[in-house]
Amino acid sequence: MKVLVIGGGAREHALCRSLSLDPDVSALYCAPGNAGIAEVAELRPVDALDGEAVAALATGLGADLVVVGPEAPLVAGVGDAVRAAGIPVFGPSAEAAQLEGSKAFAKDVMAAAGVPTARSYVCTTPEEVDAALDAFGAPYVVKDDGLAAGKGVVVTEDRDAARAHALGCDRVVIEEYLDGPEVSLFAITDGVTVVPLQPAQDFKRALDGDQGPNTGGMGAYSPLPWADPKLVDEVMELVLQPTVDEMRRRGTPFSGLLYAGLAITGRGTRVIEFNARFGDPETQVVLARLRTPLASVLLNAAKGTLADEPPLVWREDAAVTVVIASHNYPDTPRTGDPIEGLAEVAAEDAPDAYVLHAGTRREGDAVVSAGGRVLSVTATGSDLAQAREKAYTAVARIRLDGSQHRTDIAAKAAGLG
């Protein structure tokens, strides 16, 4: 099988790493990729938002499967263009990707499907914003209706800050605050059959102790020793299958990766948001634990034959990912700084710990930073404490001027804090 992965972040590096280890994959390409992905896949230049260009590239490579990683190309209809060229695509249509592309659309689908979620208002005027903020009170939860690269959500006790964020968006969803721990649960679906993956938890705040601004994610871990063993079955029954069924009923079947961001509240499990693709950095830990070869699962989802796929097999190991971010992230990051220590991790810590590249590029013989989140250091161990220790041992070998990372990823779940 020849596989083309679209994207260039740590999520795509994790996907490419898993696909490169799959004996069924005879050729692996990534467009545009990054410095780390180049070690496991052949890179090709492409505008990831240009459906016709991606389709032409896939056709020229003779790809048997295209995997679209990021949300923006999915919402832009890249999957539709590739499917029109007769090539199976793992990823939803542009219409179905509105589950992530529009918070208001997702709320409408959840209401129709009876999926438990936060009460909310969709606002487009200052008067509507004020009324919604007053209705719910603090803490205020304000979400940009459209895509915002993980930075469109503000949760604050400060009404003025909440109002300012709302007025800076064309359309916002203001909703009740959901207390309780958050869980990320991915499911692979062909639009009918739904196959859940193992749950993970990510860390959105920039600083230790869940302080600082929201980010795209500073780390993750799996499994969740504190979670109810029946959680996955419950979310399948109440959230994932009803959502997939409702999308099919509407004539816009959802195939690909359905990501449910959940809050485990005192009143039960509630959906915070849907995403239409693998999450970053949760993908890094979930795929680290997946023993089943990945390519056939994704291909069966793309072809509508997921029911033929045997049950997934998981490793008993735990996995932890720690994100190394550049200076000033999540504000405008500094780029172009050399990254040192990558060879040391490969020599000293592999295979239990490894580095997945996010915002990197190669300049001559050097690898330099090229984005906000630069690297995802991922490790596996017999339990979370061991996986965490291995991850942070590898993190300590990485040298990037001005870089930052959280020191408390998975600490509480591992019984360390």
Side-chain angles (χ1 to χ4, degrees), residues 85-108:
I87 301 171
V89 178
F90 183 79
S93 66
E95 279 189 291
Q98 286 303 304
L99 266 182
E100 177 169 5
S102 168
K103 306 287 191 305
F105 176 83
K107 288 287 188 182
D108 187 58

Side-chain angles (χ1 to χ4, degrees), residues 324 339-342 344-345 355 375 377 393-400 403:
I324 297 177
I339 303 166
E340 298 177 333
L342 297 172
E344 292 170 40
V345 174
V355 179
L375 303 169
V377 179
T393 296
V395 167
R397 301 189 201 277
I398 304 292
R399 297 177 297 282
L400 171 62
S403 68

Side-chain angles (χ1 to χ4, degrees), residues 119-138:
R119 293 179 298 119
S120 64
Y121 294 102
V122 179
C123 306
T124 57
T125 68
E127 293 76 18
E128 289 173 346
V129 166
D130 289 336
L133 293 175
D134 291 342
F136 289 127

Side-chain angles (χ1 to χ4, degrees), residues 11-247:
R11 163 188 46 225
E12 288 75 36
H13 194 174
L15 287 164
C16 285
R17 179 182 182 273
S18 291
L19 290 166
S20 73
L21 299 172
D22 188 330
D24 288 341
V25 176
S26 57
L28 180 60
Y29 307 94
C30 188
N34 62 39
I37 294 173
E39 297 175 10
V40 295
E42 290 185 40
L43 302 191
R44 293 290 188 273
V46 79
D47 177 353
L49 296 175
D50 185 336
E52 297 306 319
V54 173
L57 175 62
T59 302
L61 293 173
D64 301 298
L65 173 67
V66 174
V67 180
V68 183
E71 60 274 24
L74 291 168
V75 173
V78 167
D80 302 283
V82 178
R83 266 186 286 269
I87 301 171
V89 178
F90 183 79
S93 66
E95 279 189 291
Q98 286 303 304
L99 266 182
E100 177 169 5
S102 168
K103 306 287 191 305
F105 176 83
K107 288 287 188 182
D108 187 58
V109 170
M110 283 188 268
V115 170
T117 186
R119 293 179 298 119
S120 64
Y121 294 102
V122 179
C123 306
T124 57
T125 68
E127 293 76 18
E128 289 173 346
V129 166
D130 289 336
L133 293 175
D134 291 342
F136 289 127
Y140 303 101
V141 181
V142 183
K143 300 180 176 182
D144 190 333
D145 181 56
L147 295 181
K151 300 174 196 142
V153 179
V154 166
V155 181
T156 179
E157 298 278 349
D158 185 334
R159 191 183 190 281
D160 290 339
R163 188 175 191 271
H165 180 66
L167 297 182
C169 306
D170 291 334
R171 191 183 197 209
V172 292
V173 173
I174 296 175
E175 63 184 39
E176 67 175 326
Y177 176 75
L178 296 176
D179 61 343
E182 295 186 12
V183 174
S184 299
L185 185 61
F186 302 163
I188 291 172
T189 179
D190 59 4
V192 178
T193 301
V194 182
V195 177
L197 305 186
Q198 289 290 304
Q201 185 175 58
D202 78 332
F203 294 76
K204 283 283 191 281
R205 298 285 185 172
L207 306 176
D208 284 4
D210 293 326
Q211 300 298 305
N214 259 338
T215 71
M218 295 299 291
Y221 69 92
S222 179
L224 312 181
W226 49 268
D228 187 324
K230 299 192 290 287
L231 176 65
V232 173
D233 291 339
E234 176 194 330
V235 175
M236 268 290 291
E237 180 183 348
L238 296 179
V239 176
L240 298 170
Q241 192 70 57
T243 299
V244 169
D245 292 345
E246 172 62 18
M247 291 295 286

